[in-house]
Amino acid sequence: MNDQPGSRAELPRQYDPASIEERWAQFWVSEGLFDVKTPPPGADAHAFTVLLPPPNVTGNLHMGHMFEHTETDILVRWRRMLGHLTLWVPGTDHAGIATQMLVERQLATEGTTRQALGRAAFVERVWQWRAHYGGAILSSMKRIGDTVDWSREYFTMDDNLSHAVREAFVRLHEQGLIYRGAYIVNWCPRCQTAISDLEVEHEEQRGKLWEIRYPVVGAPSEFLTVATTRPETMLGDVAVAVNPLDERYTHLHGKMLTLPLVGREIPVIVDDWVKSDFGTGAVKVTPAHDPNDFAIGQRHNLPSITVMDETGHMNVEAGAYAGLDRYVARKKVLEDLEAQGLLGAARDHVNAIGYCARCQTVVEPRLSTQWFVAVNKPAREGGPTIASLAIAAVQPDASGQKPIRFTPENNEKVYLDWMTNIYDWCISRQLWWGHRIPAWHCATCRKITVAREDPTACAHCGSAEITQETDVLDTWFSSGLLPVTVFGWPTPDGLPTPDLTAFYPTSLLVTGFDILFFWVARMIMLGCWFMQDIPMPNGSQRPLAETVPFREVYIHALVRDADRQKMSKTKGNVIDPVTIVEKYGTDAVRFTLASMASPGTDIAFNEARTEGYRAFANKIWNAARFIFMNVERAREAGITVDAGMLGHMPSVPPYAPIEARWIAARIHSVAHEVNTALGEYRFHEAANTVYQFFWGDFCDWYLEIVKLRLDFSETADKAYTRAALTMLLQTFETALRLLSPIMPFLTEELWHALFNGEPPAKSIALSRYPQGDPQTGTVEAAFALLQELIVAVRGLRKDLGVEEKLS
RNA sequence: GGGCGCAUAACUCAGCGGUAGAGUGCCACCUUCACACGGUGGAAGUCGUAGGUUCGAAUCCUGCUGCGCCCACCA
């Protein structure tokens, strides 16, 4: 008759997660239990701060998210219960290229395009998309019990964050660290934008290495043979390069060649970069379509001829081939060369083809004008570079401590290798969805004005003929700033905001390997760079260790399907966490993920395992039913347990029954082990330890023995029964707290019920986490002996065919 | 071309120097008043392969085989 939360009346025989989870999820949010007020300056709050990797608003949460959120939430709940001021900041990411592509796809199904819509209308469409998916993501997070601070939830294109992005851009520009220029970049002909090296996926493919004979001018019947994998680019050749030491070609140095099919004359040049032992030892130089060729072109002052447009079709410079798709052009070029007898051998050749990570189109290296961040250039003579700070941030400082620590450790090496070999970062994208670059081009003097506020005139010549740059910023430029921007950077006075003082550096980042370079590295780069100028609260210079965006990075594994396949929408093997959660209960799914979360090992998610943990939840539920039932019986017999005894680690006098001394020792051991495991991100160990304790020790042994002690008859020794009952309740209550970071819903429900609706705190999540001392093992050893004896007797009984009821 | 990871019970995975573990599944018995999403008992692995170190190796080292991943401007 009483279905209020926290009522202990008449629990059903079977645990039904659906009947309680929505209720508690709502309660946690509506009560604002995990919202954190900024502590006043000077308060020593022991903050534990985590920034949630903002999910992309490209779709709903997937199992990988739930895994990441589960691990983080376990740690966050644990830290909170340890008494830290615990802040977990949620948000969502606009995910420029990814989201734009999905909306374009949606438009395609409606028979239209973004171009037909126009920029403003298209962006409006993307905002609608974002409203839908962003909302879905946030409600899923609530459903799975993430204890984030909802009052601080953000979207990467919120006004304040956009403002910060702009400030960062302007500041880097002022420091001479942002430049614009024509360079070879990875270009996706489908997305029609530049993409970064990281957004290119390489795949080895069998192809051909074609040899083409270039006639030598003034020497009839003499040729210089080059080798290429992309013959169509020859139309843009401006030279042929050979190694200066290659004696085969010494006589051709400085000679001119006739570029086949085009007729243009191009020089033979020498460059160390050319490897004599590859191909023919002669390289065609196409500066507009190859990064190495571009570098050669720079060294030798060669022109660049672009023969392909932004859609991957040949342009007017390609003459007769203009308008052809790049692969059609390739075929035709080969045919025409063949016809002219200029095509040599076509050798089998394996090389790595680059694909756009978003749409899988083959990427084209292309000369185009882009914006870059100079990562290896100091802002002032002798000063640090962005990369140098990001390198120092993971290496031991003067005190021998690493400002940032990676778990698993080997990720540190991967990070360092990447950061030490880093190139300038191309941050411009020819997209419509994102932060527009705050630069204005002057039609009069052609110069560029970069400004904090939208200018009305050119800063150089005063002309009003200015138009804003159409490019937007790489998504990761804005998300890379999040650790500072969510806490109020930039500040008008250049001093740390109260939030920065209290919460920066954040304590921990839990994220996947796939965004180690994209995001983790960029946060370190930008965080260290901008925070070096923000003094410490006492006005002193901020040391490197206080500029880092986070002190620890935990890199989690990947969730795969039961067959170890990577989950992907195209394969159709994506597991929707909400579906699974509705089927088994959130706690069972969380427990599954935790129990399999061994650092560094991918998870093959299979439901069979979840079924097992659903049974575990049911076991806990029924243990509670049993206990509550006995509390009720005891009350009827005039025996009550002092609620003041609850909330502490069970302790027993030496004369207490052995099972009481044993379970007390066990829960101390278990608490100790679980705390240690969580401190080392060993989720599976924590989960298995509590599982083993609750089912194996508490239910199978302790509970069975306690049954014999609970005598409510008239003649019973009430003090004796009361002591047993107290110990039982105390242990159970402790176990609930121990379990609650992993199974927050069930433990919340039972905890409130245990206190009969009058718990000592609004939520079990606000209670204290059990702490235990390692045990000497004497009681445990003695009890183990007893267990062995009982098992032996049971076996004997079975062997002899004695009926169990006879005892 | 560099670098990394994994191979343990039918399945999914722990263990990582000292007598092989868990969940699921399987077999037998038990519907006993918390729970059949249960209880009790049980079967099940020459820990990929070949060597080496050690008193002792699934656990450390080396080679091999098979998967998988990351990084890379040799046309």
Side-chain angles (χ1 to χ4, degrees), chain A residues 592-606:
Chain A
T592 306
L593 294 168
S595 73
M596 300 184 81
S598 172
T601 313
D602 284 352
I603 290 183
F605 188 89
N606 65 334

Side-chain angles (χ1 to χ4, degrees), chain A residues 62 86 113 123 141 208 231 286 322 358 425 427 459 494 517 705 776 795:
Chain A
H62 57 248
T86 302
T113 62
V123 168
M141 285 173 58
K208 296 284 182 194
T286 323
R358 286 295 157 198
W425 173 14
I427 50 169
F517 307 135
I705 297 176
T776 54

Side-chain angles (χ1 to χ4, degrees), chain A residues 163-401:
Chain A
H163 172 257
V165 165
R166 182 160 177 173
E167 173 67 24
F169 183 96
V170 173
R171 224 177 262 196
L172 287 171
H173 187 262
E174 286 170 351
Q175 292 171 326
L177 298 181
I178 281 184
Y179 63 94
R180 181 175 185 258
Y183 295 90
I184 292 280
V185 294
N186 301 295
W187 184 272
C188 174
R190 212 274 339 154
C191 299
Q192 292 176 38
T193 176
I195 54 180
S196 75
D197 294 348
L198 289 173
E199 288 165 300
V200 179
E201 290 171 353
H202 295 275
E203 198 180 314
E204 301 242 303
Q205 276 202 354
R206 291 174 169 197
K208 296 284 182 194
L209 185 62
W210 287 279
E211 294 185 355
I212 307 173
R213 287 194 278 272
Y214 286 17
V216 178
V217 173
S221 78
E222 195 178 352
F223 301 93
L224 178 50
T225 305
V226 301
T228 180
T229 53
R230 289 155 66 216
E232 70 282 6
T233 63
M234 66 158 293
L235 302 169
D237 283 3
V238 296
V240 170
V242 298
N243 190 285
L245 302 176
D246 191 338
E247 292 176 1
R248 289 173 297 175
Y249 303 126
T250 313
H251 67 291
L252 292 175
H253 292 181
K255 292 265 168 53
M256 299 301 281
L257 306 170
T258 304
L259 182 61
L261 308 182
V262 179
R264 192 159 11 95
E265 289 193 1
I266 58 175
V268 176
I269 58 172
V270 294
D271 197 284
D272 285 336
W273 177 80
V274 181
K275 306 272 184 294
S276 302
D277 57 359
F278 186 90
T280 61
V283 189
K284 59 191 268 315
V285 180
T286 323
H289 294 282
D290 184 277
N292 295 310
D293 295 11
F294 181 77
I296 296 179
Q298 297 270 293
R299 286 199 284 276
H300 298 268
N301 233 329
L302 298 167
S304 296
I305 300 174
T306 299
V307 294
M308 222 181 275
D309 67 15
E310 60 281 354
T311 66
H313 291 74
M314 309 312 287
N315 68 11
V316 288
E317 293 288 346
Y321 304 90
L324 295 181
D325 171 81
R326 51 188 165 159
Y327 296 114
V328 176
R330 174 176 299 177
K331 194 156 168 276
K332 188 133 194 306
V333 163
L334 289 169
E335 284 167 4
D336 292 349
L337 286 169
E338 176 85 78
Q340 294 183 25
L342 295 175
L343 191 60
R347 304 179 195 286
D348 288 334
H349 182 250
V350 176
N351 70 331
I353 308 282
Y355 295 86
C356 171
R358 286 295 157 198
C359 71
Q360 305 304 319
T361 303
V362 175
V363 164
E364 204 63 38
R366 186 165 183 272
L367 183 63
S368 71
T369 301
Q370 303 290 345
W371 295 82
F372 296 86
V373 174
V375 294
N376 291 314
K377 181 184 168 196
R380 54 183 163 77
E381 190 71 23
T385 66
I386 291 174
S388 72
L389 289 182
I391 289 168
V394 301
Q395 293 175 327
D397 61 16
S399 69
Q401 298 285 310

Side-chain angles (χ1 to χ4, degrees), chain A residues 106-142:
Chain A
Q106 194 183 49
L107 289 179
T109 65
E110 298 166 16
T112 182
T113 62
R114 77 176 150 105
Q115 286 82 2
L117 238 61
R119 185 162 186 157
F122 176 76
V123 168
E124 186 45 46
R125 263 305 277 268
V126 188
W127 275 103
Q128 286 170 22
W129 170 284
R130 173 262 166 184
H132 177 259
Y133 284 102
I137 288 166
L138 300 176
S139 66
S140 291
M141 285 173 58
K142 289 170 185 162

